[in-house]
Amino acid sequence: MGTIDNDISGTDYTIGFDTATNTVKEAIDKIRDTASSHNRLFFIEVMGPDSGFIALNTRIGAGAEEKLIPEDKRRIDR
């Protein structure tokens, strides 16, 4: 069984979660090149409306500057 939400108990990671994070990391690598060459800031939204597992793990792997996840109660206007 695969799920991108990583919500199956008894496992560290699910197959869908691993695929989703790898796909996001590849996309971020491509977007980073464009952002750097054009001196721009990009916001990247990923799946996971109720949990920030994908956003948090890809942030670490891709070296993002900041993250916004549902579990973090800070607001975007801060």
Side-chain angles (χ1 to χ4, degrees):
M1 176 179 232
T3 173
I4 67 166
D5 294 326
N6 203 34
D7 56 358
I8 297 176
S9 63
T11 64
D12 290 330
Y13 300 105
T14 60
I15 295 169
F17 176 75
D18 183 61
T19 302
T21 54
N22 284 316
T23 302
V24 170
K25 282 188 259 182
E26 289 173 11
I28 290 173
D29 286 341
K30 294 173 184 173
I31 291 170
R32 184 185 303 116
D33 293 339
T34 302
S36 295
S37 67
H38 294 283
N39 198 26
R40 300 278 191 247
L41 170 71
F42 282 78
F43 287 89
I44 300 168
E45 182 177 4
V46 297
M47 299 276 301
D50 296 327
S51 67
F53 284 128
I54 295 173
L56 184 61
N57 283 285
T58 54
R59 174 193 184 246
I60 294 167
E65 297 291 328
E66 187 60 66
K67 53 91 176 102
L68 294 170
I69 58 173
E71 293 87 356
D72 192 354
K73 299 304 178 196
R74 294 181 292 176
R75 297 177 47 94
I76 195 166
D77 58 354
R78 73 159 175 94

